[in-house]
Amino acid sequence: MKLKIKNWFDTGAPFVWLNAGAVSISIIMVVGLILLIAVRGLGHFWPADVAVFDYYAEPGDAPVRLMGEMVDEEVVSRSRAGNPGYEGETIQRNLIKTGNRDISGLDFRWILDAGIKNKAYPDNSMVVERREWGNLYAFLTSIELDGQQYNNESGNLWDRFQETITKNNGIYADIKHIEKDLIGAINYKMERLRLKERGLELKSQKTPEKVAALVQQREVLQLEYDSYTAELERLYGILNGSSFTAKTAEGKEIKIALAKIVRAYQPNAMDIFDKSIFYLEKFWEFLSDDPREANTEGGIFPAIFGTVLMVMIMAVMVTPFGVIAAVYLREYATQGPTTRLIRIAVNNLAGVPSVVYGVFGLGFFVYFLGGSIDQLLFPEALPAPTFGTPGLLWASLTLAILTVPVVIVATEEGLSRVPRAVREGSLALGATKAETMWRTVLPMTASAMITGLILAVARAAGEVAPLMLVGVVKLAPSLGLDGNAPFLHLDRKFMHLGFHIYDVGFQSPNVEAARPLVYATALLLVMLIIVLNLTAIRIRNSLREKYRAAEQS
Amino acid sequence: MQQNNPNTAKIIKAYAEEKVVTEPGTTTKTHAIDMSNIVKSDVDAKLADEKVCIEITDFNLFYSGKQALKDINMTIPDKRVTAFIGPSGCGKSTLLRCFNRMNDLVDGVTIEGNIKLEGNDIFDKNVNVADLRRRVGMVFQKPNPFPKSIYENVAYGLRIQGIRDRRTIDTVVERSLKGAALWDEVKDRLDDLAMGLSGGQQQRLVIARAIAIEPEVILLDEPASALDPISTLKIEELIYELKDKFTIVIVTHNMQQAARVSDYTAYMYMGEMVEFNDTSTLFTNPNKKMTEDYITGRYG
């Protein structure tokens, strides 16, 4: 028997099993993780049916009429459910989203499954997404447009309602455009004028002519501003002229201005096709819109934008720096104890906890460098800091230091793979060392550099802790890249997907509403990193293909 | 290829001779190579009459203190093929790599004595190494084309020199590829990667690359040792044709090859120049016992 086991070991089969097992577990974990966040996150955008039912909190109590979406269910022990009057050792309870936070104060509640009676899914139950106070679950009774009341007598109330919402959303978009882009630009220019004036004052060059010129420019801007405010007033007038009345499940009538509505839909009346379209719309909104309601509603576009922009700036800074360092270390420096020491230092740098980099970035970049820059270049803005405060530039720089070891190590490896024969071939043709580097060695190392960049980008995109110290915010009023000169605003704060996950998941006032968004955002972050990696891997493979034959010789 | 080249027949015959030599029971033969079959028309020229291209005087070379070349004194004649033969590790490649200062790249190399290229010391501190290497081209043991197109490989040396004119480069590329007997095989795919060529084609491409910058001397470091017999044959034919224009120095392990292609042959052993003479004399009537032992296969 003992011999048999020994024979089995000698065949090598156990190791094959062990290795295959390890690989399988890794794959299952990765796929499982992605599936989990995908299922939890993507389900959020599907329009769930809205149930209406009577709820008896205790058997024999007076029923409450409730309306909402089933979100979750769990089976708990009797005592955890609060020892209700219903039978059973364990009790099933359901989480329903009842919305109407402005009326009932809660928009999620746990109810006992046994207490649900007379459940129905009426076609006319309506979900209204609002810009404030979350969803409204009610039945539409009438709408009021410009002082005129419409009931559902002719049967086209819903269509008219939808039409008005679409029209209002167009107006709302116009208003946002004027407020954010046009007036935003004017404010930006006004601020620049103010700084200019202050700058002149500091340099004691504030002559009456210059002041007059500034005043004139300001007047032009003010005129422009006035024209926009007039337009805004007109648009707001149209928007506020319409409202609708709805009846909640309890029978309460409420009247809400149509201007406060994003969309309204009747999920029970939608077929699978309508729901799919609705789903795509919602998902697109998630990708392309600004967040609403403390990040628990709306989209995450600024966070995606911030992450990509920050990673790109970081890549632009880290690649040349890392490559130059690696070229010097491998090609020019005399190999000895010093270079070995530097290599050890570089490798250790990769192992330093990222939050330490954050502290370093805050102390060195933000306060020291940024503070000095402010005093030298932006004295007119003081005491308000320009670069002496966390921002895009400092975040990118901090992550660049964090990831530079990866680029150095990868590039060095690539350089060591370039065969001596190819270098000698180039030198033998009368090329100098620099020409050989530039024309032959570096192009052959390109795939290794990109490998380093892939690893750097993947690490940087997923990093959160240092960013919290050097530039990420919960909600950034403007993007780092816009139409106002100089277009790229490196001093601005930005939003980031990783921090968004933390913020929505743990700092949100409305945990239940935020939970699916955490998963959706996490999925998006993972996808973003996968896409960045796949792109870089494709580039690398095509380069590698080109140079493989040369490396083998 | 010039299939009707009269030399081809000789070379093929030499291959046949080679077989005879390697058969057992031929040790009674005094000389490995039957020179009568491969005697060249101009071989009667004597070393002393030749114009000197490279002159090596009292040359010593040390790898981190270990002596690799000992008191080398020789002259390499202009526009002739000179072959270095000898067992592995005898220093023939090291000596070859001194002519274009490739040994500069190796750490811990120190030299004594001097090497003069057309009267000028190549180790003088005023010598620009890149310029020297432009004048002394080199082809290595394994083909080492750059991972670029065939065209760019040949144009590389020109681009290094700052030549940008497309027409000049086109002309030189064509002429060099023709000179390396490769033009007919690659003229329709000049933009393909050089890595796609066969080993023999790659080696001829590397030769084309070397002659594109019109050096005075071409150093060949065992150029055919990684190639099959047919490719070897082509390279040898090529060497024969190139010697009209260039001084060629070739290192080879293959004595038949040395006998076939070279005008002069040097036998080296343990870093010393044992014998240097015109090829037919060295192979048919060597002065030293050591040389004779080596070329008859009694050595090692």
PDB file of all heavy atoms in Angstrom, chain A residues 139-168:
ATOM      1  N   PHE A 139     -49.867  56.773  -8.076  1.00  0.00           N
ATOM      2  CA  PHE A 139     -50.715  56.673  -9.276  1.00  0.00           C
ATOM      3  C   PHE A 139     -50.978  58.080  -9.771  1.00  0.00           C
ATOM      4  O   PHE A 139     -51.349  58.961  -8.996  1.00  0.00           O
ATOM      5  CB  PHE A 139     -52.044  55.984  -8.947  1.00  0.00           C
ATOM      6  CG  PHE A 139     -51.850  54.620  -8.364  1.00  0.00           C
ATOM      7  CD1 PHE A 139     -51.911  54.415  -6.984  1.00  0.00           C
ATOM      8  CD2 PHE A 139     -51.600  53.533  -9.190  1.00  0.00           C
ATOM      9  CE1 PHE A 139     -51.724  53.169  -6.454  1.00  0.00           C
ATOM     10  CE2 PHE A 139     -51.411  52.267  -8.653  1.00  0.00           C
ATOM     11  CZ  PHE A 139     -51.471  52.078  -7.282  1.00  0.00           C
ATOM     12  N   LEU A 140     -50.813  58.280 -11.063  1.00  0.00           N
ATOM     13  CA  LEU A 140     -51.010  59.614 -11.622  1.00  0.00           C
ATOM     14  C   LEU A 140     -52.498  59.942 -11.661  1.00  0.00           C
ATOM     15  O   LEU A 140     -53.315  59.121 -12.088  1.00  0.00           O
ATOM     16  CB  LEU A 140     -50.432  59.645 -13.041  1.00  0.00           C
ATOM     17  CG  LEU A 140     -50.451  60.988 -13.767  1.00  0.00           C
ATOM     18  CD1 LEU A 140     -49.558  61.989 -13.066  1.00  0.00           C
ATOM     19  CD2 LEU A 140     -50.028  60.818 -15.212  1.00  0.00           C
ATOM     20  N   THR A 141     -52.854  61.133 -11.177  1.00  0.00           N
ATOM     21  CA  THR A 141     -54.258  61.526 -11.260  1.00  0.00           C
ATOM     22  C   THR A 141     -54.480  62.633 -12.284  1.00  0.00           C
ATOM     23  O   THR A 141     -55.368  62.519 -13.126  1.00  0.00           O
ATOM     24  CB  THR A 141     -54.814  61.954  -9.886  1.00  0.00           C
ATOM     25  OG1 THR A 141     -53.909  62.905  -9.329  1.00  0.00           O
ATOM     26  CG2 THR A 141     -54.970  60.789  -8.952  1.00  0.00           C
ATOM     27  N   SER A 142     -53.667  63.672 -12.222  1.00  0.00           N
ATOM     28  CA  SER A 142     -53.874  64.743 -13.198  1.00  0.00           C
ATOM     29  C   SER A 142     -52.591  65.528 -13.385  1.00  0.00           C
ATOM     30  O   SER A 142     -51.682  65.442 -12.563  1.00  0.00           O
ATOM     31  CB  SER A 142     -54.965  65.693 -12.707  1.00  0.00           C
ATOM     32  OG  SER A 142     -54.505  66.372 -11.560  1.00  0.00           O
ATOM     33  N   ILE A 143     -52.531  66.289 -14.476  1.00  0.00           N
ATOM     34  CA  ILE A 143     -51.403  67.194 -14.647  1.00  0.00           C
ATOM     35  C   ILE A 143     -51.922  68.596 -14.938  1.00  0.00           C
ATOM     36  O   ILE A 143     -53.054  68.766 -15.399  1.00  0.00           O
ATOM     37  CB  ILE A 143     -50.445  66.739 -15.775  1.00  0.00           C
ATOM     38  CG1 ILE A 143     -51.162  66.618 -17.109  1.00  0.00           C
ATOM     39  CG2 ILE A 143     -49.773  65.448 -15.419  1.00  0.00           C
ATOM     40  CD1 ILE A 143     -50.255  66.250 -18.252  1.00  0.00           C
ATOM     41  N   GLU A 144     -51.061  69.553 -14.645  1.00  0.00           N
ATOM     42  CA  GLU A 144     -51.465  70.940 -14.822  1.00  0.00           C
ATOM     43  C   GLU A 144     -50.418  71.633 -15.675  1.00  0.00           C
ATOM     44  O   GLU A 144     -49.233  71.649 -15.330  1.00  0.00           O
ATOM     45  CB  GLU A 144     -51.546  71.611 -13.447  1.00  0.00           C
ATOM     46  CG  GLU A 144     -52.306  72.911 -13.453  1.00  0.00           C
ATOM     47  CD  GLU A 144     -52.274  73.554 -12.066  1.00  0.00           C
ATOM     48  OE1 GLU A 144     -52.615  72.864 -11.090  1.00  0.00           O
ATOM     49  OE2 GLU A 144     -51.871  74.724 -11.988  1.00  0.00           O
ATOM     50  N   LEU A 145     -50.850  72.108 -16.843  1.00  0.00           N
ATOM     51  CA  LEU A 145     -49.913  72.793 -17.734  1.00  0.00           C
ATOM     52  C   LEU A 145     -50.375  74.225 -17.935  1.00  0.00           C
ATOM     53  O   LEU A 145     -51.485  74.458 -18.406  1.00  0.00           O
ATOM     54  CB  LEU A 145     -49.858  72.103 -19.092  1.00  0.00           C
ATOM     55  CG  LEU A 145     -49.442  70.649 -19.102  1.00  0.00           C
ATOM     56  CD1 LEU A 145     -49.560  70.069 -20.491  1.00  0.00           C
ATOM     57  CD2 LEU A 145     -48.035  70.481 -18.575  1.00  0.00           C
ATOM     58  N   ASP A 146     -49.537  75.163 -17.566  1.00  0.00           N
ATOM     59  CA  ASP A 146     -49.843  76.600 -17.710  1.00  0.00           C
ATOM     60  C   ASP A 146     -51.227  76.935 -17.144  1.00  0.00           C
ATOM     61  O   ASP A 146     -52.045  77.574 -17.799  1.00  0.00           O
ATOM     62  CB  ASP A 146     -49.763  77.023 -19.183  1.00  0.00           C
ATOM     63  CG  ASP A 146     -48.411  76.709 -19.776  1.00  0.00           C
ATOM     64  OD1 ASP A 146     -47.411  76.882 -19.044  1.00  0.00           O
ATOM     65  OD2 ASP A 146     -48.352  76.269 -20.927  1.00  0.00           O
ATOM     66  N   GLY A 147     -51.498  76.439 -15.965  1.00  0.00           N
ATOM     67  CA  GLY A 147     -52.753  76.781 -15.312  1.00  0.00           C
ATOM     68  C   GLY A 147     -53.938  75.931 -15.765  1.00  0.00           C
ATOM     69  O   GLY A 147     -55.039  76.035 -15.226  1.00  0.00           O
ATOM     70  N   GLN A 148     -53.737  75.045 -16.756  1.00  0.00           N
ATOM     71  CA  GLN A 148     -54.861  74.236 -17.213  1.00  0.00           C
ATOM     72  C   GLN A 148     -54.731  72.811 -16.709  1.00  0.00           C
ATOM     73  O   GLN A 148     -53.664  72.221 -16.747  1.00  0.00           O
ATOM     74  CB  GLN A 148     -54.910  74.239 -18.735  1.00  0.00           C
ATOM     75  CG  GLN A 148     -56.265  73.847 -19.232  1.00  0.00           C
ATOM     76  CD  GLN A 148     -56.371  73.993 -20.746  1.00  0.00           C
ATOM     77  OE1 GLN A 148     -55.524  74.639 -21.366  1.00  0.00           O
ATOM     78  NE2 GLN A 148     -57.390  73.398 -21.300  1.00  0.00           N
ATOM     79  N   GLN A 149     -55.834  72.259 -16.215  1.00  0.00           N
ATOM     80  CA  GLN A 149     -55.836  70.938 -15.597  1.00  0.00           C
ATOM     81  C   GLN A 149     -56.247  69.876 -16.610  1.00  0.00           C
ATOM     82  O   GLN A 149     -57.168  70.070 -17.390  1.00  0.00           O
ATOM     83  CB  GLN A 149     -56.828  70.944 -14.431  1.00  0.00           C
ATOM     84  CG  GLN A 149     -56.820  69.689 -13.633  1.00  0.00           C
ATOM     85  CD  GLN A 149     -56.260  69.924 -12.221  1.00  0.00           C
ATOM     86  OE1 GLN A 149     -55.964  71.050 -11.852  1.00  0.00           O
ATOM     87  NE2 GLN A 149     -56.147  68.874 -11.459  1.00  0.00           N
ATOM     88  N   TYR A 150     -55.502  68.760 -16.643  1.00  0.00           N
ATOM     89  CA  TYR A 150     -55.887  67.648 -17.532  1.00  0.00           C
ATOM     90  C   TYR A 150     -56.094  66.408 -16.693  1.00  0.00           C
ATOM     91  O   TYR A 150     -55.234  66.044 -15.897  1.00  0.00           O
ATOM     92  CB  TYR A 150     -54.793  67.365 -18.557  1.00  0.00           C
ATOM     93  CG  TYR A 150     -54.525  68.512 -19.503  1.00  0.00           C
ATOM     94  CD1 TYR A 150     -53.539  69.448 -19.219  1.00  0.00           C
ATOM     95  CD2 TYR A 150     -55.263  68.631 -20.700  1.00  0.00           C
ATOM     96  CE1 TYR A 150     -53.286  70.491 -20.086  1.00  0.00           C
ATOM     97  CE2 TYR A 150     -54.992  69.681 -21.564  1.00  0.00           C
ATOM     98  CZ  TYR A 150     -54.013  70.605 -21.260  1.00  0.00           C
ATOM     99  OH  TYR A 150     -53.754  71.627 -22.114  1.00  0.00           O
ATOM    100  N   ASN A 151     -57.238  65.764 -16.867  1.00  0.00           N
ATOM    101  CA  ASN A 151     -57.498  64.490 -16.207  1.00  0.00           C
ATOM    102  C   ASN A 151     -57.389  63.389 -17.246  1.00  0.00           C
ATOM    103  O   ASN A 151     -57.203  63.641 -18.428  1.00  0.00           O
ATOM    104  CB  ASN A 151     -58.869  64.475 -15.560  1.00  0.00           C
ATOM    105  CG  ASN A 151     -58.899  65.402 -14.350  1.00  0.00           C
ATOM    106  OD1 ASN A 151     -57.905  65.531 -13.661  1.00  0.00           O
ATOM    107  ND2 ASN A 151     -60.022  66.058 -14.166  1.00  0.00           N
ATOM    108  N   ASN A 152     -57.575  62.179 -16.782  1.00  0.00           N
ATOM    109  CA  ASN A 152     -57.433  61.069 -17.723  1.00  0.00           C
ATOM    110  C   ASN A 152     -58.753  60.759 -18.406  1.00  0.00           C
ATOM    111  O   ASN A 152     -59.088  59.595 -18.611  1.00  0.00           O
ATOM    112  CB  ASN A 152     -56.882  59.838 -16.990  1.00  0.00           C
ATOM    113  CG  ASN A 152     -56.311  58.849 -17.978  1.00  0.00           C
ATOM    114  OD1 ASN A 152     -56.107  59.166 -19.149  1.00  0.00           O
ATOM    115  ND2 ASN A 152     -56.085  57.643 -17.508  1.00  0.00           N
ATOM    116  N   GLU A 153     -59.526  61.796 -18.744  1.00  0.00           N
ATOM    117  CA  GLU A 153     -60.846  61.524 -19.325  1.00  0.00           C
ATOM    118  C   GLU A 153     -60.716  60.994 -20.745  1.00  0.00           C
ATOM    119  O   GLU A 153     -61.392  60.053 -21.136  1.00  0.00           O
ATOM    120  CB  GLU A 153     -61.692  62.805 -19.306  1.00  0.00           C
ATOM    121  CG  GLU A 153     -62.344  63.022 -17.955  1.00  0.00           C
ATOM    122  CD  GLU A 153     -62.529  64.491 -17.651  1.00  0.00           C
ATOM    123  OE1 GLU A 153     -62.296  65.319 -18.557  1.00  0.00           O
ATOM    124  OE2 GLU A 153     -62.895  64.810 -16.512  1.00  0.00           O
ATOM    125  N   SER A 154     -59.805  61.581 -21.502  1.00  0.00           N
ATOM    126  CA  SER A 154     -59.681  61.114 -22.885  1.00  0.00           C
ATOM    127  C   SER A 154     -58.717  59.939 -23.006  1.00  0.00           C
ATOM    128  O   SER A 154     -58.490  59.419 -24.096  1.00  0.00           O
ATOM    129  CB  SER A 154     -59.212  62.264 -23.773  1.00  0.00           C
ATOM    130  OG  SER A 154     -58.125  62.918 -23.147  1.00  0.00           O
ATOM    131  N   GLY A 155     -58.117  59.530 -21.869  1.00  0.00           N
ATOM    132  CA  GLY A 155     -57.249  58.347 -21.877  1.00  0.00           C
ATOM    133  C   GLY A 155     -55.837  58.626 -22.335  1.00  0.00           C
ATOM    134  O   GLY A 155     -55.032  57.704 -22.385  1.00  0.00           O
ATOM    135  N   ASN A 156     -55.518  59.868 -22.672  1.00  0.00           N
ATOM    136  CA  ASN A 156     -54.160  60.120 -23.148  1.00  0.00           C
ATOM    137  C   ASN A 156     -53.335  60.906 -22.142  1.00  0.00           C
ATOM    138  O   ASN A 156     -52.352  61.544 -22.495  1.00  0.00           O
ATOM    139  CB  ASN A 156     -54.177  60.834 -24.497  1.00  0.00           C
ATOM    140  CG  ASN A 156     -54.812  62.215 -24.373  1.00  0.00           C
ATOM    141  OD1 ASN A 156     -55.346  62.546 -23.317  1.00  0.00           O
ATOM    142  ND2 ASN A 156     -54.742  62.991 -25.445  1.00  0.00           N
ATOM    143  N   LEU A 157     -53.728  60.846 -20.878  1.00  0.00           N
ATOM    144  CA  LEU A 157     -53.026  61.602 -19.833  1.00  0.00           C
ATOM    145  C   LEU A 157     -51.554  61.191 -19.749  1.00  0.00           C
ATOM    146  O   LEU A 157     -50.664  62.027 -19.681  1.00  0.00           O
ATOM    147  CB  LEU A 157     -53.719  61.371 -18.488  1.00  0.00           C
ATOM    148  CG  LEU A 157     -53.105  62.140 -17.315  1.00  0.00           C
ATOM    149  CD1 LEU A 157     -53.292  63.622 -17.472  1.00  0.00           C
ATOM    150  CD2 LEU A 157     -53.679  61.662 -15.997  1.00  0.00           C
ATOM    151  N   TRP A 158     -51.305  59.879 -19.788  1.00  0.00           N
ATOM    152  CA  TRP A 158     -49.933  59.372 -19.641  1.00  0.00           C
ATOM    153  C   TRP A 158     -49.044  59.867 -20.768  1.00  0.00           C
ATOM    154  O   TRP A 158     -47.905  60.290 -20.548  1.00  0.00           O
ATOM    155  CB  TRP A 158     -49.971  57.845 -19.574  1.00  0.00           C
ATOM    156  CG  TRP A 158     -48.600  57.260 -19.381  1.00  0.00           C
ATOM    157  CD1 TRP A 158     -47.865  56.603 -20.307  1.00  0.00           C
ATOM    158  CD2 TRP A 158     -47.801  57.300 -18.210  1.00  0.00           C
ATOM    159  NE1 TRP A 158     -46.666  56.230 -19.798  1.00  0.00           N
ATOM    160  CE2 TRP A 158     -46.593  56.654 -18.487  1.00  0.00           C
ATOM    161  CE3 TRP A 158     -47.996  57.850 -16.921  1.00  0.00           C
ATOM    162  CZ2 TRP A 158     -45.586  56.520 -17.553  1.00  0.00           C
ATOM    163  CZ3 TRP A 158     -46.997  57.704 -16.000  1.00  0.00           C
ATOM    164  CH2 TRP A 158     -45.792  57.057 -16.311  1.00  0.00           C
ATOM    165  N   ASP A 159     -49.608  59.824 -22.001  1.00  0.00           N
ATOM    166  CA  ASP A 159     -48.823  60.285 -23.146  1.00  0.00           C
ATOM    167  C   ASP A 159     -48.487  61.759 -23.017  1.00  0.00           C
ATOM    168  O   ASP A 159     -47.358  62.186 -23.270  1.00  0.00           O
ATOM    169  CB  ASP A 159     -49.586  60.052 -24.452  1.00  0.00           C
ATOM    170  CG  ASP A 159     -49.747  58.578 -24.718  1.00  0.00           C
ATOM    171  OD1 ASP A 159     -48.918  57.808 -24.195  1.00  0.00           O
ATOM    172  OD2 ASP A 159     -50.702  58.189 -25.401  1.00  0.00           O
ATOM    173  N   ARG A 160     -49.492  62.537 -22.606  1.00  0.00           N
ATOM    174  CA  ARG A 160     -49.274  63.966 -22.447  1.00  0.00           C
ATOM    175  C   ARG A 160     -48.211  64.232 -21.373  1.00  0.00           C
ATOM    176  O   ARG A 160     -47.342  65.085 -21.519  1.00  0.00           O
ATOM    177  CB  ARG A 160     -50.596  64.636 -22.053  1.00  0.00           C
ATOM    178  CG  ARG A 160     -50.585  66.146 -22.231  1.00  0.00           C
ATOM    179  CD  ARG A 160     -51.841  66.748 -21.670  1.00  0.00           C
ATOM    180  NE  ARG A 160     -53.015  66.493 -22.485  1.00  0.00           N
ATOM    181  CZ  ARG A 160     -53.431  67.279 -23.479  1.00  0.00           C
ATOM    182  NH1 ARG A 160     -52.760  68.372 -23.777  1.00  0.00           N
ATOM    183  NH2 ARG A 160     -54.507  66.990 -24.159  1.00  0.00           N
ATOM    184  N   PHE A 161     -48.298  63.428 -20.314  1.00  0.00           N
ATOM    185  CA  PHE A 161     -47.355  63.527 -19.193  1.00  0.00           C
ATOM    186  C   PHE A 161     -45.924  63.289 -19.703  1.00  0.00           C
ATOM    187  O   PHE A 161     -45.005  64.075 -19.469  1.00  0.00           O
ATOM    188  CB  PHE A 161     -47.752  62.476 -18.150  1.00  0.00           C
ATOM    189  CG  PHE A 161     -46.984  62.524 -16.873  1.00  0.00           C
ATOM    190  CD1 PHE A 161     -46.787  63.714 -16.173  1.00  0.00           C
ATOM    191  CD2 PHE A 161     -46.465  61.354 -16.331  1.00  0.00           C
ATOM    192  CE1 PHE A 161     -46.095  63.735 -14.994  1.00  0.00           C
ATOM    193  CE2 PHE A 161     -45.764  61.378 -15.146  1.00  0.00           C
ATOM    194  CZ  PHE A 161     -45.579  62.563 -14.472  1.00  0.00           C
ATOM    195  N   GLN A 162     -45.761  62.195 -20.454  1.00  0.00           N
ATOM    196  CA  GLN A 162     -44.438  61.844 -20.982  1.00  0.00           C
ATOM    197  C   GLN A 162     -43.911  62.944 -21.898  1.00  0.00           C
ATOM    198  O   GLN A 162     -42.732  63.309 -21.841  1.00  0.00           O
ATOM    199  CB  GLN A 162     -44.498  60.532 -21.768  1.00  0.00           C
ATOM    200  CG  GLN A 162     -44.645  59.308 -20.905  1.00  0.00           C
ATOM    201  CD  GLN A 162     -43.443  59.075 -20.009  1.00  0.00           C
ATOM    202  OE1 GLN A 162     -42.348  59.478 -20.331  1.00  0.00           O
ATOM    203  NE2 GLN A 162     -43.652  58.469 -18.861  1.00  0.00           N
ATOM    204  N   GLU A 163     -44.803  63.433 -22.752  1.00  0.00           N
ATOM    205  CA  GLU A 163     -44.440  64.492 -23.685  1.00  0.00           C
ATOM    206  C   GLU A 163     -43.887  65.706 -22.926  1.00  0.00           C
ATOM    207  O   GLU A 163     -42.826  66.244 -23.278  1.00  0.00           O
ATOM    208  CB  GLU A 163     -45.716  64.929 -24.421  1.00  0.00           C
ATOM    209  CG  GLU A 163     -45.595  65.033 -25.910  1.00  0.00           C
ATOM    210  CD  GLU A 163     -46.981  65.219 -26.486  1.00  0.00           C
ATOM    211  OE1 GLU A 163     -47.523  66.330 -26.347  1.00  0.00           O
ATOM    212  OE2 GLU A 163     -47.547  64.233 -27.021  1.00  0.00           O
ATOM    213  N   THR A 164     -44.636  66.093 -21.896  1.00  0.00           N
ATOM    214  CA  THR A 164     -44.216  67.256 -21.117  1.00  0.00           C
ATOM    215  C   THR A 164     -42.867  67.019 -20.457  1.00  0.00           C
ATOM    216  O   THR A 164     -42.008  67.901 -20.428  1.00  0.00           O
ATOM    217  CB  THR A 164     -45.267  67.578 -20.033  1.00  0.00           C
ATOM    218  OG1 THR A 164     -46.535  67.348 -20.574  1.00  0.00           O
ATOM    219  CG2 THR A 164     -45.141  69.005 -19.571  1.00  0.00           C
ATOM    220  N   ILE A 165     -42.685  65.800 -19.943  1.00  0.00           N
ATOM    221  CA  ILE A 165     -41.403  65.502 -19.271  1.00  0.00           C
ATOM    222  C   ILE A 165     -40.253  65.608 -20.264  1.00  0.00           C
ATOM    223  O   ILE A 165     -39.206  66.213 -19.984  1.00  0.00           O
ATOM    224  CB  ILE A 165     -41.444  64.105 -18.632  1.00  0.00           C
ATOM    225  CG1 ILE A 165     -42.415  64.093 -17.459  1.00  0.00           C
ATOM    226  CG2 ILE A 165     -40.060  63.699 -18.148  1.00  0.00           C
ATOM    227  CD1 ILE A 165     -42.643  62.741 -16.864  1.00  0.00           C
ATOM    228  N   THR A 166     -40.465  65.040 -21.462  1.00  0.00           N
ATOM    229  CA  THR A 166     -39.410  65.110 -22.481  1.00  0.00           C
ATOM    230  C   THR A 166     -39.076  66.560 -22.801  1.00  0.00           C
ATOM    231  O   THR A 166     -37.906  66.956 -22.858  1.00  0.00           O
ATOM    232  CB  THR A 166     -39.877  64.396 -23.760  1.00  0.00           C
ATOM    233  OG1 THR A 166     -40.446  63.162 -23.385  1.00  0.00           O
ATOM    234  CG2 THR A 166     -38.728  64.183 -24.711  1.00  0.00           C
ATOM    235  N   LYS A 167     -40.168  67.360 -22.985  1.00  0.00           N
ATOM    236  CA  LYS A 167     -39.951  68.768 -23.318  1.00  0.00           C
ATOM    237  C   LYS A 167     -39.209  69.473 -22.178  1.00  0.00           C
ATOM    238  O   LYS A 167     -38.230  70.185 -22.409  1.00  0.00           O
ATOM    239  CB  LYS A 167     -41.318  69.429 -23.553  1.00  0.00           C
ATOM    240  CG  LYS A 167     -41.235  70.670 -24.420  1.00  0.00           C
ATOM    241  CD  LYS A 167     -42.591  71.308 -24.621  1.00  0.00           C
ATOM    242  CE  LYS A 167     -42.910  72.240 -23.467  1.00  0.00           C
ATOM    243  NZ  LYS A 167     -44.330  72.590 -23.370  1.00  0.00           N
ATOM    244  N   ASN A 168     -39.684  69.208 -20.955  1.00  0.00           N
ATOM    245  CA  ASN A 168     -39.053  69.834 -19.792  1.00  0.00           C
ATOM    246  C   ASN A 168     -37.588  69.454 -19.669  1.00  0.00           C
ATOM    247  O   ASN A 168     -36.753  70.279 -19.307  1.00  0.00           O
ATOM    248  CB  ASN A 168     -39.774  69.409 -18.509  1.00  0.00           C
ATOM    249  CG  ASN A 168     -40.997  70.261 -18.270  1.00  0.00           C
ATOM    250  OD1 ASN A 168     -41.262  71.177 -19.042  1.00  0.00           O
ATOM    251  ND2 ASN A 168     -41.748  69.954 -17.247  1.00  0.00           N
TER     252      ASN A 168
END
